[in-house]
Amino acid sequence: MARNADVVIVGGGVIGLSAAWEAAERGFSACVVDPEPGHGASWVAAGMLAPVTEAGFGEESLTRLSLEASRRWPAFAERVAVAGGEDPGFQACGTVMVAADASDRAAIDHLLGYQQHLGLEATRLSASECRDLVPGLSPGLRGGALMPGDHQVDNRRLVTALLAACAAGGVRLVAQRAGAVSLHGGAVSGVVLADGSTLCAPVVLVAAGAETGRLGGLPDGVLPPVRPVKGHVVRLQGPTGAPLLDRTLRGLVHGRPCYLVPRRDGGLVVGATSEERGFDRTVQAGAVHTLLDDARTLLPGVDELELVECIAGLRPGSPDNRPWVGPASVPGLVIATGHYRNGILLAPLTAEAVAIYLTSGSVPAPLDAFPPGRALEAGDALSTARRPAEVSG
Ligand code: GLY
């Protein structure tokens, strides 16, 4: 059968789009299949690039991967901007974490001790030091910490920029749902689309996030066990030129994590819940109420902002919170999914690893330690529901 592309990518989120673009940059013809490219978890996300504030107890290998990914971001953002002519909105802004009460302070100190033990850049702050860095903070807060290397990118501008870079690089977009991977002689031969047509390719990259398990056509157990983890996000808007924040603010509010990520245009993204509710994307009043209440507990000026959007998305969770990247047991099948809370942060590194794999047949370090089909590491096998980093925000 005639080949439609060298590689078909199932899933047009930041992982799939970045991988398609990097593959095209290396001379592969790439085709992305997604009914609404960039409008899944990538659209709902806040865009934090936070290897330190997301570091969880027992997740050292993920933290090392995240740090490596974070170092790639400035150059990646620049390359995407040049390739497609759209600025993805990367900001080296740093992050302040604050505690609402004494018990939140103790939890932050506990996490800080662990982060410092790993040699991560994180400094304890008194309440007045927090207010010096974030003047709009509520007066009653109990201090916190500075993570100067935890930055952000505007996730929606990033989607636009990646789509432009893909278009400039000749990546084909097919706005359909992928129904199944097709096989011939036990190897991948392409993807069957929702309308029944087939795209023929010797390689299929599955970058379908939380939807990964819905892809048909493969023997049981070939696709990794991704599960959806719901997150509510609220988007607020203030006047351009007078932002409430000039860096990311994360907080613990009576045990609940909350983050406020400021955009250059006066926007503020407030997130996020973490809920095990299957594929439910309903926006619930209680979740929105709690997010807003916690945000205004940290930063009272939030009350004056316009409420522009409430949305919920599905993170692609894995049993050990780590992604799967690399070839699967079926020849021609490549996996890049399960990035959970760090999809945007890990996109450049994942895309580069996929492109190198397509070229050389090997996944480079450090992602070679995250293969599909791996056994869980004892230290990384904490259940997501008890994940300590979420206690710390
Ligand atoms: N990366 C933040 C979140 O998943 O909520």
Side-chain angles (χ1 to χ4, degrees):
M1 274 189 283
R3 180 186 286 205
N4 297 110
D6 296 327
V7 54
V8 172
I9 293 107
V10 177
V14 290
I15 300 288
L17 292 174
S18 302
W21 174 60
E22 289 284 15
E25 288 277 288
R26 285 162 175 78
F28 293 93
S29 61
C31 176
V32 174
V33 179
D34 194 310
E36 282 188 290
H39 278 69
S42 304
W43 195 251
V44 180
M48 289 185 299
L49 307 172
V52 178
T53 39
E54 289 283 342
F57 296 98
E59 294 183 351
E60 286 84 351
S61 63
L62 178 60
T63 299
R64 281 194 299 276
L65 182 74
S66 299
L67 285 168
E68 182 62 34
S70 165
R71 284 191 274 275
R72 307 292 169 106
W73 254 98
F76 179 77
E78 181 63 32
R79 284 180 57 227
V80 171
V82 169
E86 295 279 349
D87 175 7
F90 169 75
Q91 284 188 67
C93 59
T95 296
V96 167
M97 183 179 272
V98 292
D101 64 26
S103 144
D104 297 331
R105 164 93 260 185
I108 288 178
D109 282 345
H110 186 47
L111 184 72
L112 198 55
Y114 171 70
Q115 291 167 338
Q116 289 172 340
H117 166 76
L118 294 183
L120 305 180
E121 236 185 322
T123 312
R124 193 176 196 275
L125 298 176
S126 67
S128 67
E129 286 169 330
C130 288
R131 269 192 298 281
D132 288 345
L133 290 171
V134 185
L137 279 180
S138 192
L141 302 178
R142 300 301 185 98
L146 173 66
M147 284 79 173
D150 278 11
H151 302 315
Q152 62 139 313
V153 64
D154 182 329
N155 54 304
R156 294 184 177 182
R157 293 183 67 158
L158 174 63
V159 164
T160 303
L162 282 171
L163 286 169
C166 281
V171 174
R172 184 177 158 205
L173 290 183
V174 174
Q176 281 203 58
R177 196 178 62 78
V181 174
S182 59
L183 302 178
H184 185 74
V188 159
S189 59
V191 170
V192 183
L193 304 176
D195 69 1
S197 63
T198 298
L199 286 171
C200 295
V203 177
V204 170
L205 172 69
V206 179
E211 306 280 333
T212 296
R214 293 183 156 177
L215 190 63
L218 293 163
D220 285 350
V222 170
L223 291 172
V226 184
R227 73 179 196 291
V229 182
K230 183 176 181 180
H232 279 85
V233 162
V234 174
R235 288 183 172 249
L236 307 172
Q237 186 65 48
T240 313
L244 270 185
L245 287 174
D246 59 6
R247 66 190 79 221
T248 297
L249 177 64
R250 299 186 75 145
L252 252 195
V253 183
H254 317 312
R256 284 186 305 274
C258 178
Y259 51 74
L260 293 83
V261 185
R263 298 293 191 234
R264 288 183 192 137
D265 66 355
L268 190 67
V269 185
V270 178
T273 61
S274 194
E275 306 167 54
E276 304 277 348
R277 290 178 184 265
F279 285 92
D280 171 31
R281 290 174 206 251
T282 316
V283 175
Q284 287 162 307
V288 171
H289 171 88
T290 303
L291 283 176
L292 285 174
D293 207 29
D294 291 347
R296 62 200 286 274
T297 297
L298 301 176
L299 198 68
V302 159
D303 280 353
E304 305 304 322
L305 303 182
E306 182 188 355
L307 173 58
V308 289
E309 187 178 354
C310 302
I311 191 168
L314 302 175
R315 305 175 183 90
S318 70
D320 57 8
N321 297 334
R322 304 189 303 156
W324 293 278
V325 178
S329 54
V330 170
L333 188 69
V334 186
I335 306 288
T337 191
H339 293 75
Y340 187 39
R341 297 178 62 91
N342 296 299
I344 292 186
L345 171 63
L346 297 175
L349 199 59
T350 301
E352 183 188 78
V354 167
I356 291 174
Y357 172 74
L358 294 176
T359 309
S360 70
S362 301
V363 176
L367 272 166
D368 58 345
F370 298 77
R374 65 169 180 267
L376 297 182
E377 270 181 24
D380 280 355
L382 291 170
S383 89
T384 300
R386 299 187 293 115
R387 185 175 180 275
E390 287 175 21
V391 173
S392 67

